Amino acid sequence: MSESQGPSTHYKPYRLKQTLSGHSEAVSCVKFSKDGRLLGSASLDKTIRIWSASASSPASAFKRELRGHSEGVSDFAWSSDARYICSASDDRSLRIWDVHTGDCVKTLKGHTSMVFCVNFNPQSNLIVSGSFDETLRIWDVKTGKCQKIISAHTDPITAVHFNRDGSLIVSSSRDGSCKIWDSATGACLKTLIDDKTPAVSFVEFSPNGKFILAATLDDTLES
């Protein structure tokens, strides 16, 4: 189709399907499971709620509430098989939840300030977390033990993400930098920083692992 023809007439704009209500305070994070069947939402009300993504009505969408944190939940991540969720909280802990039962199966403690971001590796046997204490921590899912503590940034960490094979971690921070880490050794392989050093609010590897997308507080996206 040539540019003169304009946008495709087959395009159908998104429309509101339904509104899900239940949290009592601000919602901090929403994410689909990897298979798209479930939706999770985290909130400052200290809970994570699990919803069916295919339910025909809001009343039938709600599946269960995960409650156990003593402060608000800033972020959470799904395991690859959608069986588990790991949540990151202002109470300085992470919790691993069995989505099927709603049970907390592990509590991960060690950060000395609010835990702001979390992600599973693709194999879902490791978790990386970032905190206002300026450290990254790598955790073993099976044992719940911290394998590595990395003094990563000079300001709070805003996002963490594994690449597609789990060999690398990228982190972003309010200090204006993104850093790439070897997940096995904890070594910093590269530091990406802008001359103006605006705070970086989010970072993620592209699906093929060749690029990094970063969002900054100077109103731009960079890749």
Side-chain angles (χ1 to χ4, degrees), residues 10 17 33 37 40 43 47 72 112 115 123 131 165 188 195 199 206 213:
H10 297 293
K17 181 180 178 182
S33 60
R37 293 185 302 167
S43 170
T47 70
T112 59
V115 190
Q123 299 81 12
S131 168
D165 66 4
C188 182
D195 291 339
S206 62
L213 178 66

Side-chain angles (χ1 to χ4, degrees), residues 5 7 22 26 33 36 44 59 70 95-96 104 112 176 191 193 217:
Q5 290 178 285
S33 60
L44 300 187
S70 59
R95 287 177 178 253
I96 301 174
C104 176
T112 59
T191 299
I193 191 165
L217 296 187

Side-chain angles (χ1 to χ4, degrees), residues 71-152:
E71 299 291 343
V73 181
S74 295
D75 193 20
F76 71 91
W78 290 93
S79 64
S80 296
D81 62 1
R83 175 67 187 268
Y84 298 100
I85 272 179
C86 185
S87 55
S89 172
D90 290 356
D91 66 10
R92 301 184 293 181
S93 76
L94 301 107
R95 287 177 178 253
I96 301 174
W97 307 85
D98 186 315
V99 174
H100 293 178
T101 65
D103 294 334
C104 176
V105 295
K106 289 282 188 305
T107 300
L108 314 180
K109 294 184 178 181
H111 281 294
T112 59
S113 188
M114 297 178 290
V115 190
F116 193 73
C117 48
V118 63
N119 246 311
F120 281 93
N121 69 343
Q123 299 81 12
S124 295
N125 64 327
L126 295 177
I127 287 168
V128 63
S129 59
S131 168
F132 271 51
D133 66 14
E134 304 168 7
T135 70
L136 292 178
R137 288 181 179 246
I138 300 174
W139 310 82
D140 181 275
V141 170
K142 186 175 181 179
T143 65
K145 293 182 178 180
C146 181
Q147 291 190 337
K148 288 180 179 61
I149 304 171
I150 303 171
S151 297

Side-chain angles (χ1 to χ4, degrees), residues 148 150 180-190:
K148 288 180 179 61
I150 303 171
I180 299 174
W181 309 87
D182 185 310
S183 63
T185 66
C188 182
L189 303 179
K190 191 157 191 171

Side-chain angles (χ1 to χ4, degrees), residues 14 21 26 34 37 39 60 65 79 85 94 97 104 115 117 126 130 162 185 187 190 200 205 208 212 223:
Y14 289 105
S21 301
K34 306 295 183 183
R37 293 185 302 167
L39 174 68
S60 61
E65 180 181 80
S79 64
I85 272 179
L94 301 107
W97 307 85
C104 176
V115 190
C117 48
L126 295 177
F162 283 95
T185 66
K190 191 157 191 171
V200 185
F205 281 104
N208 63 9
I212 290 170
S223 63

